Amino acid sequence: MSATQHVLSPRELSPREVFDHMRRRWLNDESIGDLLAEDVVLETPFAPPGRPTRIEGRDRFLAIAEPQRAALPVRFEAAPVLAVHDTLDPEVIVVEYELAGTITTTGRKASAPFIGVLRARDGKIVQWREYQHTQAMAAALA
């Protein structure tokens, strides 16, 4: 590393930067585990039937989410951000985005919109609430 390069310490990452790291991990099919605080709370209020709507703790989330992601027949290829909204709380942003990719079992292209509410502290995600368009997701996988 040259003397002019600066590597951000986790304490310097803004919620926007944390979200950008998360998006890149999704697109590279990499774990987001190191971006999560140990006591993270993840919520999906409109989760499909049979899926939890609230998960507390990094280890519990990874134990549930990583096998589900591995079994999901989708190769994510784009995650465009449509809008990022700052809030009065500097730890919190609201993000409108899409996930687009190829269904690996059919070769069909599909996308679905999402809204996420991200709380980041000390460069880690402490709360993530994701509102999924479950109908679009189900149609893509049908």
Side-chain angles (χ1 to χ4, degrees):
M1 175 183 341
S2 75
T4 58
Q5 287 179 318
H6 177 70
V7 175
L8 293 174
S9 72
R11 295 188 201 303
E12 295 177 273
L13 294 176
S14 71
R16 287 173 183 249
E17 292 167 319
V18 171
F19 180 74
D20 189 52
H21 283 284
M22 187 165 59
R23 281 180 52 243
R24 280 187 266 152
R25 301 283 176 85
W26 293 336
L27 294 174
N28 292 323
D29 200 22
E30 298 172 350
S31 174
I32 63 166
D34 65 322
L35 297 175
L36 303 174
E38 187 175 323
D39 60 349
V40 67
V41 174
L42 297 116
E43 299 172 301
T44 50
F46 303 123
R51 298 258 172 107
T53 58
R54 181 181 172 96
I55 302 171
E56 296 182 26
R58 177 182 52 222
D59 293 340
R60 183 157 188 271
F61 171 76
L62 294 174
I64 293 169
E66 288 192 343
Q68 287 178 351
R69 174 62 191 112
L72 188 65
V74 178
R75 181 179 58 253
F76 293 121
E77 297 162 345
V81 174
L82 307 174
V84 179
H85 306 278
D86 293 312
T87 69
L88 294 177
D89 184 335
E91 292 183 343
V92 178
I93 59 172
V94 177
V95 184
E96 299 176 51
Y97 64 99
E98 290 182 352
L99 284 175
T102 300
I103 310 303
T104 58
T105 55
T106 64
R108 191 165 54 101
K109 302 275 186 190
S111 65
F114 298 80
I115 294 176
V117 180
L118 173 78
R119 177 180 296 278
R121 185 178 304 129
D122 296 330
K124 299 284 185 183
I125 300 166
V126 295
Q127 185 177 27
W128 173 247
R129 186 177 309 120
E130 183 177 73
Y131 295 90
Q132 307 168 342
H133 191 315
T134 54
Q135 292 173 331
M137 294 167 52
L141 295 170

